[in-house]
Amino acid sequence: MGRGARPAKRKATARRPGAGKPRKDERGGDGDLQKRLEEALARQAATAEILEVIASSPATLQPVFEAILARATRLCEAHLGVLQLRAGESYRAVAQQGASAAFERWLFAGPRPLDPATGVGRALLGRRAVHIRDIAAEPAYRERHPARVATVELGGARTFLAVPMVRGATTLGTIVIYRPEVRPFTDHQVELVQAFANQAVIAIENARLFEETRRALEQQTATAEILRVISASPTDVQPVFTAIADTAARLCEAFDAMVLRVDGDVLRLVAHHGPMPAGDVPLHRGTLGGRTVLERRLFHIEDLQAEGDEFPEGSAIARQRGHRTTLSVPLLREGVAIGNIQLRRNEVRPFSDQQIALLQTFAGQAVIAIENVRLFEELQARNRDLTQALDQQTATSEILRVISSSPTDEKPVFDAIAQSSVRLCDAGFGVVAIFDGALLHLVAYEHVASEGLRALAAAYPMGLNRGHLAGRAILDRTAIHVADVTLDPDYVGAPGIGNRATLSVPMLRKGAPIGTITIGRFKPVPFTDQQIELLKTFADQAVIAIENVRLFKELEGRNRDLTQALDQQTATSEILRVISSA
């Protein structure tokens, strides 16, 4: 039996016609698998393409957005796609795929407020995908909501899918795709759009980082350039102000930039960049610059034209010159405001925190430049003073040397005084005269041209009168300084010399005048107090020289008298000796 059963068993398992071929349901399963594989490959290819676009456009988002929409609409079998970016409580379309001309005009008409009655608004506010099977069946469409009406009637859309682009806790925008028929998107298609949204976030973040890096590099370069200008201009702050105005306007996207410095009760314009009218500003609280300096703090005014109550003069200037949003930063040196930098826009568009911080950096650099020039000028002044002091000491020592080497003759001393007076006092000529109690006699001169010599020869010996500064110095027993003798009604002088600024100092011995030193310039440039004191010193040295010669001559006379007396005594003694010996 068991054997006999075997053939029956074999018969039961015999192959039927068509055995081994896949059944219909099995073929369908293989078709779905094949389709899923093809979709997966297409998605991978699309993802790779978008990543390639992102890599090739690190600073430009538009090609990325367009590539994302092209692939999202194609792979998700949609006829229309829109990418929108959020800005605060509104959003705006930045890219589209497949829109009609009418719908495109509606899309890009301007920003729209976040409205939970729309799918885009719900996606942005709820930070989740919003999938609407039939827009035309929604209550909002029946209530004729403008966005729903435009989507259906201008965009020709029925099925709607909006996927938000989310970075952390922030919603950056949405990717929206549409179908013209009522046919919901599959879960795989929703996931695919979500993947595209993530790629858009990556692109936006890359562009943000790239822009931040570019701006940081640009700002560092600008800062370094201004520091280079500062180092190259230790004696002149103007190139620094010009560079700051140019750079601040460019990097802060301002229509206009001004640098102003305090000058009494006015803010004086020292640098300007831009086509807008600019000029000096009154230093009081009614102007933006004045308030900035007086309160020593930054002011950022969204629309200066509308601030008539707070800044009456500043608002009037803004209306006259056409600027709106204005940023003013003080220049502070040791807590004291010495000026300000002001940026202006001819539209209402506030400056960013980064731009404000950059302008504060430029203000600090402007103060560094001003301080550098001040210190450099102080150092130069000190060096100049030291050089002058050294020159004066050298000249004084030289005159004293001449005095000691000329105990019997004042003329070399007078010549040295005339030369030193002209050189160290930056004079055009010099004259030394001696007073004999009645007349002034010319004894030395320096840098007097032939015409002047003829005029001096005609003027000396000179009686005392107030028409000549030397005569005035003798009469008043003090230094006489006239900044411009042509404006002095009493002055007569020597017409051939052509002097303007003139200084005459008396030589006084025990209060009595014994001569004068007179120097002059051919331009009306007054002599300094230091130069007047130096000429007084030279007058004192001339008195010493005259007194030395007088004392030397007195001593010579006494020695001669003593010698004669001694000779006479010796002769007398000799005669007496002869008499006594006889």
Side-chain angles (χ1 to χ4, degrees):
M1 289 295 293
R3 291 170 182 247
R6 289 174 184 165
K9 186 175 182 181
R10 284 195 300 270
K11 184 177 179 181
T13 59
R15 187 179 298 273
R16 299 189 303 273
K21 296 181 181 179
R23 294 190 298 269
K24 184 177 180 181
D25 60 339
E26 290 175 345
R27 287 197 301 270
D30 290 342
D32 289 344
L33 178 60
Q34 182 66 27
K35 184 178 180 181
R36 287 198 298 272
L37 287 173
E38 290 174 355
E39 289 177 349
L41 289 174
R43 291 173 186 173
Q44 288 180 356
T47 300
E49 289 169 358
I50 292 171
L51 290 175
E52 184 178 350
V53 175
I54 291 174
S56 63
S57 305
T60 308
L61 289 170
Q62 197 63 32
V64 179
F65 294 158
E66 291 173 357
I68 286 174
L69 285 180
R71 286 152 182 81
T73 53
R74 176 169 55 83
L75 295 178
C76 295
E77 301 171 351
H79 82 295
L80 173 64
V82 180
L83 192 146
Q84 292 139 327
L85 293 181
R86 180 175 180 176
E89 296 303 311
S90 66
Y91 66 92
R92 60 185 178 87
V94 295
Q96 65 85 20
Q97 176 73 23
S100 66
F103 191 50
E104 184 177 15
R105 284 194 297 271
W106 181 84
L107 284 173
F108 293 95
R112 291 184 167 81
L114 293 180
D115 185 352
T118 65
V120 173
R122 294 206 300 271
L124 288 170
L125 293 169
R127 302 173 64 233
R128 61 179 178 81
V130 174
H131 190 185
I132 301 175
R133 183 177 182 276
D134 185 1
I135 303 172
E138 291 277 300
Y141 178 72
R142 292 195 298 270
E143 295 167 2
R144 305 301 288 174
H145 189 285
R148 293 297 175 85
V149 171
T151 303
V152 174
E153 299 180 7
L154 296 179
R158 298 293 292 272
T159 297
F160 167 98
L161 173 63
V163 176
M165 299 181 293
V166 180
R167 184 185 67 203
T170 304
T171 306
L172 303 178
T174 59
I175 298 175
V176 186
I177 58 175
Y178 308 83
R179 279 178 175 158
E181 74 276 9
V182 177
R183 181 164 60 95
F185 294 96
T186 66
D187 292 342
H188 289 299
Q189 290 169 338
V190 174
E191 291 174 1
L192 178 59
V193 177
Q194 183 63 64
F196 287 151
N198 292 337
Q199 288 181 316
V201 170
I202 292 171
I204 292 171
E205 184 67 7
N206 281 356
R208 183 184 67 81
L209 294 174
F210 186 91
E211 181 64 15
E212 283 185 358
T213 302
R214 185 191 66 79
R215 284 184 175 274
L217 180 61
E218 196 173 36
Q219 291 173 9
Q220 288 178 357
T221 302
T223 301
E225 176 62 20
I226 292 172
L227 290 174
R228 186 195 65 76
V229 175
I230 290 174
S231 64
S233 306
T235 61
D236 185 9
V237 77
Q238 188 58 46
V240 181
F241 291 155
T242 301
I244 285 176
D246 295 348
T247 306
R250 176 170 54 86
L251 295 185
C252 296
E253 300 172 352
F255 190 71
D256 177 82
M258 299 185 296
V259 182
L260 302 103
R261 291 190 67 180
V262 174
D263 183 10
D265 58 355
V266 172
L267 277 171
R268 198 74 66 192
L269 181 70
V270 295
H272 175 233
H273 177 89
M276 194 174 295
D280 300 340
V281 178
L283 182 55
H284 55 69
R285 298 179 61 83
T287 65
L288 181 58
R291 182 80 63 86
T292 301
V293 169
L294 293 173
E295 296 190 7
R296 297 173 297 171
R297 65 185 180 95
L298 176 151
F299 281 89
H300 185 196
I301 308 301
E302 186 170 317
D303 186 359
L304 188 55
Q305 292 188 18
E307 295 292 334
D309 293 339
E310 188 70 14
F311 300 97
E313 289 85 358
S315 181
I317 293 173
R319 289 191 296 274
Q320 178 187 8
R321 297 179 178 174
H323 54 281
R324 307 295 290 267
T325 296
T326 310
L327 173 63
S328 182
V329 174
L331 306 180
L332 296 175
R333 184 179 68 198
E334 297 179 354
V336 177
I338 58 175
N340 74 306
I341 303 176
Q342 193 164 303
L343 298 183
R344 303 185 291 184
R345 285 176 172 160
N346 58 352
E347 59 184 329
V348 177
R349 180 164 63 94
F351 294 90
S352 67
D353 292 342
Q354 189 178 31
Q355 290 168 338
I356 293 172
L358 179 60
L359 194 63
Q360 289 175 314
T361 299
F362 288 154
Q365 289 181 317
V367 172
I368 290 172
I370 294 170
E371 187 68 5
N372 281 357
V373 171
R374 185 185 67 82
L375 293 174
F376 190 90
E377 289 176 348
E378 281 187 2
L379 180 61
Q380 275 193 322
R382 289 178 184 175
N383 289 339
R384 189 165 52 248
D385 291 343
L386 288 173
T387 301
Q388 288 178 348
L390 181 61
D391 287 344
Q392 292 172 10
Q393 289 179 357
T394 302
T396 300
S397 299
E398 177 63 20
I399 292 171
L400 291 174
R401 186 192 65 77
V402 175
I403 290 173
S404 64
S405 63
S406 303
T408 61
D409 186 6
E410 308 100 323
K411 185 66 168 66
V413 180
F414 295 152
D415 289 339
I417 285 175
Q419 293 169 5
S420 298
S421 298
V422 170
R423 178 170 57 85
L424 295 180
C425 294
D426 296 324
F429 69 92
V431 175
V432 180
I434 293 299
F435 182 56
D436 63 5
L439 298 173
L440 278 165
H441 299 270
L442 180 67
V443 294
Y445 57 84
E446 180 69 18
H447 284 191
V448 178
S450 56
E451 297 85 357
L453 285 176
R454 286 192 291 270
L456 290 177
Y460 288 92
M462 181 190 300
L464 298 186
N465 63 78
R466 305 193 68 81
H468 294 82
L469 297 195
R472 266 185 238 179
I474 293 292
L475 292 170
D476 295 346
R477 289 172 170 75
T478 187
I480 303 298
H481 181 203
V482 177
D484 188 354
V485 294
T486 63
L487 303 179
D488 188 329
D490 297 329
Y491 183 78
V492 177
I497 295 180
N499 55 307
R500 299 290 291 277
T502 308
L503 170 65
S504 187
V505 173
M507 305 175 196
L508 300 175
R509 183 178 64 199
K510 296 180 180 180
I514 59 173
T516 59
I517 304 173
T518 304
I519 57 176
R521 289 172 175 159
F522 303 116
K523 293 182 179 180
V525 180
F527 292 95
T528 66
D529 293 342
Q530 190 177 24
Q531 291 166 340
I532 294 172
E533 291 302 316
L534 178 62
L535 205 64
K536 289 179 180 179
T537 300
F538 288 157
D540 292 339
Q541 289 181 319
V543 171
I544 292 172
I546 294 170
E547 187 68 6
N548 280 358
V549 171
R550 184 185 67 79
L551 292 174
F552 189 88
K553 288 181 178 179
E554 283 185 2
L555 181 60
E556 266 193 327
R558 289 179 183 178
N559 287 340
R560 190 167 50 250
D561 292 342
L562 288 173
T563 300
Q564 290 177 352
L566 182 59
D567 289 344
Q568 292 172 3
Q569 288 178 0
T570 301
T572 301
S573 298
E574 180 65 25
I575 293 171
L576 292 173
R577 186 186 63 76
V578 172
I579 293 173
S580 62
S581 62

